[in-house]
C-alpha cells in the first residue's frame, strides 16, 4: 500500500480493535505494524488476532508486520487486608516475604531477588512512581523503608527499582512459553521488555532461532547506560517512555529519546518511539496540542515509527487516532525544516561497498529528478542501509522473501514489494521499474535508481547501481519472469 509519508505507525490491538473489519480500517487509515500485547489475552485470542491480520494482508496485498510484545518480569506487591491503604509521607513501611495480608505498616513483596540486590539508600517506586520509598535497612527477606512520597497503595501494584540492576532474567517462564508460541505462529518481531543487559537479548535471540527479529525495549536506567552494547545485539529498539519516565526523572526522558533515536539511525536499525503519544484520544476524538507536538517531535528526530497503545487497543476512537498520526506525519514531512533537520543529523557511514552504493543512490536522488530508489534485498540489510540515509524519495524494497518484506514494514520509508528469484541484473531493473509504476511512485516519463547485489540472492552483496528510465521500451525489452 502506497503511503504519503516515510515514518511508520504501530497500532496495538485489543478489545477496541479485535475484528477483521476494524483491523482493515486501521491499516487503510495508516497502521503499518500491528502490536500484540502478550500481557493480555490467551494464546487462542492471540492466534485469532494473528489470523485476522494475515487475512487483511492478503486482502490488501500489503506486507504487514506483526510485533509480539512480551510481558517481561513483573514485580508486584501482594494484597492488603483492606484492599487499599494510605501511606503517609515520613512514615515507615516494611516490604517482606511474609505472605500474610498487608496493612498500613507492611506488605509482602514476593521477590527475594530484590532483597538480595538492595542496599540502604536505594529507592523503590510503587504504582508507576506515585509512591516513593527510601530503603533505610534491609536483609535477605525484608526492607524497612521511609515513605518519601505518600499515597494510596493497593493490591498487586507494580514496583520499580531504578537504582539497582536486578539479578532477573528478561524472560520469565510465561515469556518463554509466549515466545515459543508466537514464533511458531509466525510473528515478525519480538518485543523484549525490561532489558537490562545485552545478555538478555542474546538469550531471546537463541530461543527465537531466527524465526523473528528482536526488538529491545529501553525502559530501565541500566539499559540506557549499556545502550550501545544492547543496540549492537538487537535488530531494533523501542524507546518505551512509560517505565523509563517512572525510573528516571521525567525531564531526563526527552534528551534520552533524542540520543537513542540518533544512535539507531547511525547504525541503520529501526527505532520506535512509544507510550502516551495520543493518550487523550482514548476518550476524545481530538488530541491535545501537546500530544500532536510530541508525535511531531519523534518524526522530526527521524524515528522509524511512532506507536499507539491503549489509543487503538481499548480507546473509543482507534481509527481517528491512527488517522491523526498519519496526518501529523504527512504535515511534518512536508515541512522544509524537517528535511533540513534530517539531513543535518545524518551520520556518514561508508565502511563497505554496500554503504557507498546506498549513499550514492541517495546523492543521485537529491541532485536529479529521480522518483524512487529501488533496492533488491534478501535479508533486508540493503533496505535498512538505504533507510539510514533518509533519502528525499521513496524506497521500494524488492525481495523474494515474504518474511523480509514483513520485517521491513517497520522501517522508515520502505514500501515492500514481493518479487520472484532473479539471476540477472537486467531482469532486476525491469522488475524495479514495473514495481515503481505499479505502486504509483513513477510514470513512464520518470527515472528510478536501482541497487542490487551480483551474484543475486546472497545477503549483504550490494555492489551495483543503475539509473533506469521507466518507459515502455525497457519494460517490453526483457521479460523479468
Amino acid at each position: 500500500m502506497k503511503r504519503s509519508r516515510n515514518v511508520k505507525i504501530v497500532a496495538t490491538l485489543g478489545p477496541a480493535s479485535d475484528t477483521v473489519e476494524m483491523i482493515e480500517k486501521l491499516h487503510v487509515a495508516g497502521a503499518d505494524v500491528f502490536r500484540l500485547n502478550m500481557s493480555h489475552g490467551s494464546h487462542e485470542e492471540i492466534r485469532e488476532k494473528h489470523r485476522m491480520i494475515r487475512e487483511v494482508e492478503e486482502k490488501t496485498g500489503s506486507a504487514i508486520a506483526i510485533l509480539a510484545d512480551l510481558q517481561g518480569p513483573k514485580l508486584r506487591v501482594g494484597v492488603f487486608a483492606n484492599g487499599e491503604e494510605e501511606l503517609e509521607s515520613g512514615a515507615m513501611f516494611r516490604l517482606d516475604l511474609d505472605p500474610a495480608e498487608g496493612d498500613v505498616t507492611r506488605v509482602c513483596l514476593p521477590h527475594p531477588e530484590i532483597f538480595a540486590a538492595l542496599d540502604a539508600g536505594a529507592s523503590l517506586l510503587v504504582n508507576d512512581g506515585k509512591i516513593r520509598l527510601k530503603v533505610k535497612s534491609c536483609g535477605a527477606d525484608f526492607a524497612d523503608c521511609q515513605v518519601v512520597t505518600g499515597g494510596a497503595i493497593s493490591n498487586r501494584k507494580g514496583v520499580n527499582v531504578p537504582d539497582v540492576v536486578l539479578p532477573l532474567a528478561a524472560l520469565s517462564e510465561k515469556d518463554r512459553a509466549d515466545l515459543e508460541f508466537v514464533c511458531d505462529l509466525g510473528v515478525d518481531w519480538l518485543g523484549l521488555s525490561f532489558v537490562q543487559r545485552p545478555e538478555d537479548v542474546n538469550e531471546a535471540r537463541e530461543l527465537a532461532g531466527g524465526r523473528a527479529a528482536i526488538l529491545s525495549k529501553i525502559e530501565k536506567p541500566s539499559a540506557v547506560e549499556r545502550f550501545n552494547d544492547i543496540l549492537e545485539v538487537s535488530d531494533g529498539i523501542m524507546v518505551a517512555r512509560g517505565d523509563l519516565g517512572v525510573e528516571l526523572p521525567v525531564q531526563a526522558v526527552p534528551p534520552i529519546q533524542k540520543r537513542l533515536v540518533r544512535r539507531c539511525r547511525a547504525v541503520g536499525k529501526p527505532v520506535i518511539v512509544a507510550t502516551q503519544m495520543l493518550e487523550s484520544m482514548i476518550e476524545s476524538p481530538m488530541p491535545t496540542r501537546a500530544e500532536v507536538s510530541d508525535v511531531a517531535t519523534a518524526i522530526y528526530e527521524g524515528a522509524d515509527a511512532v506507536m499507539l497503545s491503549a489509543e487503538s487497543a481499548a480507546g473509543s476512537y482507534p481509527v481517528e487516532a491512527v488517522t491523526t498520526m498519519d496526518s501529523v506525519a504527512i504535515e511534518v514531512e512536508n515541512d522544509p525544516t524537517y528535511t533540513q533537520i534530517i539531513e543535518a543529523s545524518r551520520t556518514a557511514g561508508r565502511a563497505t561497498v554496500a554503504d557507498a552504493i546506498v549513499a550514492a543512490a541517495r546523492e543521485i536522488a537529491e541532485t536529479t529528478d529521480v522518483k524512487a530508489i529501488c533496492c533488491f534485498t534478501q535479508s533486508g540489510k540493503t533496505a535498512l542501509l538505504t533507510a539510514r540515509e533518509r533519502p528525499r524519495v521513496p524506497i521500494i524494497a524488492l525481495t523474494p522473501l515474504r518474511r523480509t518484506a514483513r520485517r521491513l514494514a517497520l522501517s522508515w520509508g520502505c514500501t515492500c514489494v514481493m518479487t520472484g528469484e532473479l539471476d540477472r541484473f537486467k531482469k532486476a531493473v525491469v522488475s524495479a521499474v514495473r514495481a515503481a509504476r505499479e505502486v504509483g511512485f513513477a510514470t513512464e516519463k520518470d527515472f528510478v535508481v536501482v541497487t542490487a547485489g551480483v551474484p543475486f540472492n546472497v545477503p549483504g552483496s550490494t555492489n551495483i547501481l543503475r539509473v533506469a528510465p521507466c518507459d515502455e521500451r525497457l519494460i517490453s525489452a526483457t521479460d523479468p519472469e
Side-chain angles (χ1 to χ4, degrees):
M1 181 175 292
K2 179 183 177 183
R3 302 292 193 197
S4 300
R5 53 173 161 79
N6 292 304
V7 71
K8 301 301 179 69
I9 295 174
V10 183
T12 303
L13 296 185
S17 49
D18 60 356
T19 65
V20 171
E21 292 74 21
M22 181 56 75
I23 293 171
E24 183 177 355
K25 287 180 181 178
L26 293 175
H27 179 57
V28 171
D32 306 286
V33 181
F34 288 105
R35 171 177 172 256
L36 306 177
N37 188 348
M38 302 305 294
S39 299
H40 305 288
S42 67
H43 281 187
E44 280 310 305
E45 290 170 330
I46 295 296
R47 186 192 302 277
E48 180 61 11
K49 287 184 173 67
H50 181 277
R51 183 198 65 77
M52 291 188 288
I53 295 168
R54 293 300 180 225
E55 183 177 326
V56 171
E57 180 183 64
E58 182 70 24
K59 180 178 179 180
T60 61
S62 304
I64 300 176
I66 300 178
L67 164 64
D69 199 336
L70 302 178
Q71 176 177 287
K74 289 289 187 181
L75 307 176
R76 300 182 184 278
V77 299
V79 298
F80 291 84
N82 296 327
E84 180 178 290
E85 296 287 352
E86 187 74 22
L87 300 187
E88 298 290 339
S89 297
M92 295 300 295
F93 189 73
R94 169 172 280 216
L95 300 166
D96 56 41
L97 294 178
D98 184 351
E101 293 180 329
D103 55 30
V104 75
T105 65
R106 62 154 297 278
V107 74
C108 179
L109 180 61
H111 301 284
E113 60 274 13
I114 294 182
F115 298 115
L118 285 179
D119 289 312
S123 295
L124 292 168
L125 311 177
V126 184
N127 192 14
D128 289 335
K130 294 181 177 67
I131 295 173
R132 292 179 175 264
L133 308 175
K134 180 74 74 174
V135 177
K136 291 300 183 180
S137 63
C138 55
D141 57 358
F142 76 96
D144 286 328
C145 308
Q146 185 172 34
V147 180
V148 178
T149 304
I153 183 171
S154 55
N155 297 341
R156 300 185 180 88
K157 288 300 182 184
V159 178
N160 295 81
V161 191
D163 303 337
V164 179
V165 177
L166 296 174
L168 288 172
L171 296 171
S172 65
E173 287 305 311
K174 169 180 164 53
D175 294 326
R176 289 170 177 270
D178 288 345
L179 184 152
E180 190 62 30
F181 171 73
V182 296
C183 282
D184 283 346
L185 200 57
V187 302
D188 308 294
W189 288 89
L190 283 172
L192 190 60
S193 298
F194 301 110
V195 172
Q196 297 188 93
R197 54 185 81 84
E199 290 80 7
D200 296 335
V201 186
N202 291 332
E203 180 186 3
R205 185 177 300 283
E206 184 176 347
L207 292 171
R211 292 172 292 173
I214 307 298
L215 186 91
S216 296
K217 296 170 65 178
I218 306 302
E219 47 196 336
K220 294 187 72 65
S222 55
V224 175
E225 292 172 8
R226 299 201 62 186
F227 180 70
N228 288 339
D229 295 331
I230 292 170
L231 177 60
E232 185 176 353
V233 296
S234 304
D235 298 305
I237 294 292
M238 181 190 294
V239 185
R241 303 176 304 175
D243 277 276
L244 198 59
V246 171
E247 299 211 3
L248 287 167
V250 290
Q251 66 271 18
V253 175
I256 288 172
Q257 173 181 316
K258 196 173 293 289
R259 291 200 305 271
L260 268 51
V261 169
R262 286 202 176 190
R263 290 180 194 173
C264 291
R265 284 185 55 197
V267 299
K269 293 186 178 181
V271 54
I272 303 171
V273 176
T275 318
Q276 297 179 327
M277 300 212 80
L278 295 175
E279 186 86 351
S280 70
M281 292 194 76
I282 296 172
E283 299 177 348
S284 169
M286 290 291 293
T288 67
R289 276 61 171 173
E291 289 168 339
V292 170
S293 293
D294 181 41
V295 174
T297 295
I299 298 169
Y300 276 115
E301 289 168 353
D304 288 79
V306 287
M307 193 176 97
L308 296 167
S309 298
E311 301 96 327
S312 59
S316 300
Y317 303 96
V319 176
E320 290 83 351
V322 172
T323 301
T324 297
M325 267 195 169
D326 183 71
S327 299
V328 172
I330 293 171
E331 189 72 23
V332 168
E333 292 184 8
N334 283 326
D335 177 12
T337 306
Y338 170 77
T339 303
Q340 295 170 10
I341 292 172
I342 291 297
E343 294 181 358
S345 59
R346 182 183 292 135
T347 302
R350 304 188 183 184
T352 67
V353 171
D355 290 323
I357 289 288
V358 298
R362 187 259 306 160
E363 289 172 359
I364 290 169
E366 288 180 358
T367 56
T368 65
D369 194 25
V370 165
K371 297 300 182 183
I373 297 174
C374 304
C375 56
F376 285 82
T377 184
Q378 190 83 0
S379 65
K381 181 65 174 178
T382 303
L384 291 174
L385 290 177
T386 306
R388 182 187 67 187
E389 293 291 318
R390 299 296 193 257
R392 299 179 188 177
V393 299
I395 302 166
I396 302 177
L398 298 107
T399 180
L401 302 178
R402 186 165 296 279
R403 179 181 67 179
T404 298
R406 287 168 173 167
R407 290 184 185 179
L408 288 173
L410 178 60
S411 297
W412 187 97
C414 290
T415 297
C416 305
V417 175
M418 294 295 299
T419 185
E421 297 279 356
L422 300 171
D423 57 5
R424 287 190 297 154
F425 185 62
K426 190 171 184 180
K427 289 184 177 181
V429 171
V430 174
S431 293
V433 167
R434 284 183 174 174
R437 290 182 58 173
E438 288 172 1
V439 174
F441 286 132
T443 68
E444 62 179 9
K445 298 179 181 180
D446 295 320
F447 289 81
V448 295
V449 174
V450 182
T451 65
V454 178
F456 277 95
N457 306 319
V458 178
S461 64
T462 302
N463 57 10
I464 193 167
L465 178 153
R466 178 180 171 184
V467 179
C470 295
D471 58 47
E472 290 293 337
R473 289 174 298 171
L474 177 64
I475 293 178
S476 58
T478 304
D479 183 357
E481 302 302 326

